[in-house]
Amino acid sequence: MSTHQMAKLPSRSRFDAVAFGMGIIQNRIVSRLLRSLLVGFGVMTIAFFLLRLVPGDPVQLLLGDTGTPELVEAYRQMLGLDGTLPEQYLRYLGSVMQGDLGTSINSSVSVNTIIARSLPVTLWLIAVTIVLALALALPLSIAAAIYQRTWFGHTFRVASSILLATPVFYSGLLLLLLFAIQLKVAPVAGYRTTFPTNLNYLWLPALVLCGVMVPITARVLQSSVIDTLDQEFVETAVVRGLGRLTFTWRYLLRPSLAPTISLLGYMIGQLLSAAVVVELVFNLPGIGTSLIVEGVLLRDYPVVQGIVLVFGMIVVIVSFLSDLVSGWLDPRTQT
Amino acid sequence: MQSGPLSLENRAGELQDNGQPLLQIRDLKVGFAKSHGILPVINTANLTLGRREAIGVVGESGSGKTMLCRSVLGTLDRHGARVLGGQIMFEAHDLANAPESVWSKVRGKQIGYVPQSSLAGLNPVINVKTQMVEAITAARPMSVQDAEKEAVELLEVVRIPRAKDVLREYSYQLSGGMRQRVMIAAALAQKPKLLVADEPTTALDVTVQKEILTLISRLRRELGMALILVSHDLAVIEEVCDSLMVMYAGASFEAGSVSVTVHAPRHPYTKALHDSRVDTAERGKPLEAIAGEPPTIGSWPSGCRFWPRCPLGDDKCRAGDQPTLRHVAQQLTACIYAERMGDGHD
């Protein structure tokens, strides 16, 4: 065999390896989608049955003392609340499959409409929170890793613990008092849907939600960066005299970020539940406000079920995205 | 002779000897700054390295070899350590506690670094190409295409087959020997005057170790670089280096040319190191080991730090400070009884 042929061999096997790798990635996406469907189905089922375990009959609440047994029965039929639980469940499942999340018991508005109206507000809030949280957590955690044993590192540890232990309804009210009432740099409540204006209403609630996100992400990132700082390739990068930006991004952050991004994926559920409270505090017309005001308080089963399903899907989608991002950041996690 | 970025012609002008050594470390003291005070790791290290000379630094773990490298590479502060005294003269610069303005003239330009192979010297999240291009453009801004071309040439210099394919790969796709070749290629990117290799073959297969050492040895001759090779293995240093510096407990114990120092040591510690070698041991005879443990960092004994383990150690050795290097025969030694050690081989 000539050397020319010899040289060709490895490249062919490399091509095969690439094709094989693509297969793996496709399989991963398919299995991920199947899993997401399963999660959605599970969330829907649990929400359906859990709601019906909660004491309080929506029809009784709706009709109050005026409900005669006949009227109650008529309403039950109208709202799809007649028949046994399994019958109700199958009916609900059928309509969800067709993309219909039902109609609000209380306001007769379709749940799809309620969600379409309030979901963008919540998605904006979450997006602004994540951007703000990363903008705060990245520099903080790098500084806390480099100056680990100085007063800065100690302050960082104590402050993040305190922040972590502070509930959002409390920190929300405090920040509202400070920024909106005292300093008057933010609106007290309300919302505008147009893009640049809405940020004016979102930054303070997002800052409150950062109280949930930043301490955890920054602590995890700090410990990753501390590990990275010990790596020999960081030493090599210093000796090579790389620029500060290249060094910080490629040698400190990128090798350290993957666990933090995965964590963000997991924390999205926690973030959503905190967002519900923050929306109420700041009177934002988001999905959390719809959930509590229109859904839970009035035992509006379809509204609660629909919103819980949407929450479930958001968690699934975000954790999928976070997997993609950490795979891009750190190619080792792809294999 | 090959042409390209590393050809000798390119460097011909820089290699004029001016009689001065390239690197001279005098009475170096290095310590970690701890909350309760300073923990010394190097106390009186001395090293002189001429242009195009290769020196081996040998010693047990904890002897301060790696910290000595870091003082030359300017990464002490990253590890919470700093120079407490002495000089590190490199060309016209004193690198001891040098400000960043001095380091920026030296780092990545005049001193190349090959780390321990057991540790990850390559960044695992970016491919070889990006890292090579970074190393090349760090001191010489140029287009990415030109830098890539140079990266291929550098990989060919270190005898990496399929250099263009390897550029696209990540460290986890490369074997240990390949990784170390890439590290060497990156270290050569700025045609450094000095290459610092800190145990470059630890954790490699024996055959690969040999290849890497041969490569380093060949390159430093061809490119006219000076070399500091750190190792705990005398056999490695004997093969690659011209001269030797023996370190123990943060101090220089003996220094001189390899041929003299290894075979006619004037310090009992060097002799003990030589006697415990596996490669020159006589068949059927039990291997010699140095009795006792090296002292832990910072709790060095008074007097000569080797006396508790030394066959020549007596009350005179315990007194005072660690003896400094002095000329005995053809080398420098820190042993007060050096004259008692004959020229004979063992």
PDB file of all heavy atoms in Angstrom, chain A residues 17 36 102-103 122 127 136 187 239 249 265 285 291 298 306:
ATOM      1  N   ALA A  17     -17.315   8.434  10.955  1.00  0.00           N
ATOM      2  CA  ALA A  17     -17.556   8.835  12.343  1.00  0.00           C
ATOM      3  C   ALA A  17     -18.475  10.053  12.396  1.00  0.00           C
ATOM      4  O   ALA A  17     -19.366  10.143  13.238  1.00  0.00           O
ATOM      5  CB  ALA A  17     -16.234   9.153  13.040  1.00  0.00           C
ATOM      6  N   SER A  36     -40.404  14.801  25.793  1.00  0.00           N
ATOM      7  CA  SER A  36     -41.132  16.037  26.066  1.00  0.00           C
ATOM      8  C   SER A  36     -42.644  15.794  25.996  1.00  0.00           C
ATOM      9  O   SER A  36     -43.405  16.275  26.837  1.00  0.00           O
ATOM     10  CB  SER A  36     -40.761  17.115  25.051  1.00  0.00           C
ATOM     11  OG  SER A  36     -39.370  17.231  24.980  1.00  0.00           O
ATOM     12  N   GLY A 102     -60.061  24.323  26.342  1.00  0.00           N
ATOM     13  CA  GLY A 102     -61.329  24.478  27.067  1.00  0.00           C
ATOM     14  C   GLY A 102     -61.704  25.939  27.238  1.00  0.00           C
ATOM     15  O   GLY A 102     -61.074  26.844  26.700  1.00  0.00           O
ATOM     16  N   THR A 103     -62.793  26.139  28.004  1.00  0.00           N
ATOM     17  CA  THR A 103     -63.331  27.478  28.190  1.00  0.00           C
ATOM     18  C   THR A 103     -63.364  27.777  29.676  1.00  0.00           C
ATOM     19  O   THR A 103     -63.647  26.890  30.487  1.00  0.00           O
ATOM     20  CB  THR A 103     -64.758  27.548  27.626  1.00  0.00           C
ATOM     21  OG1 THR A 103     -64.721  27.068  26.284  1.00  0.00           O
ATOM     22  CG2 THR A 103     -65.299  28.961  27.642  1.00  0.00           C
ATOM     23  N   THR A 122     -45.380  37.096  30.470  1.00  0.00           N
ATOM     24  CA  THR A 122     -44.550  36.240  31.307  1.00  0.00           C
ATOM     25  C   THR A 122     -43.261  35.858  30.590  1.00  0.00           C
ATOM     26  O   THR A 122     -42.180  35.864  31.194  1.00  0.00           O
ATOM     27  CB  THR A 122     -45.331  34.978  31.704  1.00  0.00           C
ATOM     28  OG1 THR A 122     -46.538  35.382  32.333  1.00  0.00           O
ATOM     29  CG2 THR A 122     -44.534  34.109  32.643  1.00  0.00           C
ATOM     30  N   ALA A 127     -37.488  36.241  30.045  1.00  0.00           N
ATOM     31  CA  ALA A 127     -36.330  36.542  29.194  1.00  0.00           C
ATOM     32  C   ALA A 127     -35.485  37.664  29.795  1.00  0.00           C
ATOM     33  O   ALA A 127     -34.253  37.549  29.897  1.00  0.00           O
ATOM     34  CB  ALA A 127     -36.795  36.916  27.790  1.00  0.00           C
ATOM     35  N   LEU A 136     -25.508  39.836  35.684  1.00  0.00           N
ATOM     36  CA  LEU A 136     -25.030  40.023  37.059  1.00  0.00           C
ATOM     37  C   LEU A 136     -24.144  38.862  37.501  1.00  0.00           C
ATOM     38  O   LEU A 136     -23.115  39.055  38.132  1.00  0.00           O
ATOM     39  CB  LEU A 136     -26.228  40.144  38.018  1.00  0.00           C
ATOM     40  CG  LEU A 136     -27.060  41.410  37.925  1.00  0.00           C
ATOM     41  CD1 LEU A 136     -28.330  41.273  38.757  1.00  0.00           C
ATOM     42  CD2 LEU A 136     -26.257  42.609  38.384  1.00  0.00           C
ATOM     43  N   PRO A 187     -42.084  52.397  37.401  1.00  0.00           N
ATOM     44  CA  PRO A 187     -43.527  52.475  37.663  1.00  0.00           C
ATOM     45  C   PRO A 187     -43.907  51.535  38.810  1.00  0.00           C
ATOM     46  O   PRO A 187     -43.280  50.500  39.008  1.00  0.00           O
ATOM     47  CB  PRO A 187     -44.155  52.034  36.348  1.00  0.00           C
ATOM     48  CG  PRO A 187     -43.096  51.313  35.612  1.00  0.00           C
ATOM     49  CD  PRO A 187     -41.789  51.847  36.079  1.00  0.00           C
ATOM     50  N   VAL A 239       0.614  32.233  30.133  1.00  0.00           N
ATOM     51  CA  VAL A 239       1.988  32.294  29.632  1.00  0.00           C
ATOM     52  C   VAL A 239       2.012  32.765  28.186  1.00  0.00           C
ATOM     53  O   VAL A 239       2.923  33.469  27.768  1.00  0.00           O
ATOM     54  CB  VAL A 239       2.666  30.917  29.773  1.00  0.00           C
ATOM     55  CG1 VAL A 239       4.032  30.926  29.114  1.00  0.00           C
ATOM     56  CG2 VAL A 239       2.795  30.540  31.232  1.00  0.00           C
ATOM     57  N   TRP A 249     -13.263  34.812  28.218  1.00  0.00           N
ATOM     58  CA  TRP A 249     -14.351  34.071  27.600  1.00  0.00           C
ATOM     59  C   TRP A 249     -13.958  32.632  27.297  1.00  0.00           C
ATOM     60  O   TRP A 249     -14.624  31.694  27.707  1.00  0.00           O
ATOM     61  CB  TRP A 249     -14.856  34.791  26.352  1.00  0.00           C
ATOM     62  CG  TRP A 249     -15.763  33.970  25.510  1.00  0.00           C
ATOM     63  CD1 TRP A 249     -15.560  33.601  24.217  1.00  0.00           C
ATOM     64  CD2 TRP A 249     -17.028  33.405  25.886  1.00  0.00           C
ATOM     65  NE1 TRP A 249     -16.606  32.838  23.777  1.00  0.00           N
ATOM     66  CE2 TRP A 249     -17.520  32.694  24.775  1.00  0.00           C
ATOM     67  CE3 TRP A 249     -17.783  33.413  27.072  1.00  0.00           C
ATOM     68  CZ2 TRP A 249     -18.735  32.015  24.791  1.00  0.00           C
ATOM     69  CZ3 TRP A 249     -18.997  32.719  27.098  1.00  0.00           C
ATOM     70  CH2 TRP A 249     -19.458  32.036  25.969  1.00  0.00           C
ATOM     71  N   GLY A 265     -31.685  25.471  33.062  1.00  0.00           N
ATOM     72  CA  GLY A 265     -32.752  24.647  32.516  1.00  0.00           C
ATOM     73  C   GLY A 265     -33.614  24.041  33.613  1.00  0.00           C
ATOM     74  O   GLY A 265     -34.841  24.002  33.521  1.00  0.00           O
ATOM     75  N   PRO A 285     -49.965  41.798  34.033  1.00  0.00           N
ATOM     76  CA  PRO A 285     -51.030  40.942  33.503  1.00  0.00           C
ATOM     77  C   PRO A 285     -50.485  39.681  32.839  1.00  0.00           C
ATOM     78  O   PRO A 285     -50.858  39.352  31.714  1.00  0.00           O
ATOM     79  CB  PRO A 285     -51.725  41.852  32.490  1.00  0.00           C
ATOM     80  CG  PRO A 285     -50.642  42.753  32.016  1.00  0.00           C
ATOM     81  CD  PRO A 285     -49.711  42.958  33.164  1.00  0.00           C
ATOM     82  N   LEU A 291     -53.402  32.830  36.331  1.00  0.00           N
ATOM     83  CA  LEU A 291     -53.499  31.558  37.051  1.00  0.00           C
ATOM     84  C   LEU A 291     -54.159  31.755  38.404  1.00  0.00           C
ATOM     85  O   LEU A 291     -55.113  31.061  38.764  1.00  0.00           O
ATOM     86  CB  LEU A 291     -52.104  30.945  37.216  1.00  0.00           C
ATOM     87  CG  LEU A 291     -52.012  29.684  38.076  1.00  0.00           C
ATOM     88  CD1 LEU A 291     -52.630  28.509  37.347  1.00  0.00           C
ATOM     89  CD2 LEU A 291     -50.572  29.370  38.443  1.00  0.00           C
ATOM     90  N   LEU A 298     -60.985  31.003  41.802  1.00  0.00           N
ATOM     91  CA  LEU A 298     -62.364  30.699  41.383  1.00  0.00           C
ATOM     92  C   LEU A 298     -62.559  29.227  41.038  1.00  0.00           C
ATOM     93  O   LEU A 298     -63.586  28.852  40.490  1.00  0.00           O
ATOM     94  CB  LEU A 298     -62.747  31.568  40.178  1.00  0.00           C
ATOM     95  CG  LEU A 298     -62.771  33.070  40.485  1.00  0.00           C
ATOM     96  CD1 LEU A 298     -62.826  33.870  39.206  1.00  0.00           C
ATOM     97  CD2 LEU A 298     -63.955  33.402  41.385  1.00  0.00           C
ATOM     98  N   GLY A 306     -54.935  24.446  31.848  1.00  0.00           N
ATOM     99  CA  GLY A 306     -54.265  24.970  30.655  1.00  0.00           C
ATOM    100  C   GLY A 306     -52.956  25.636  30.997  1.00  0.00           C
ATOM    101  O   GLY A 306     -51.921  25.394  30.355  1.00  0.00           O
TER     102      GLY A 306
END
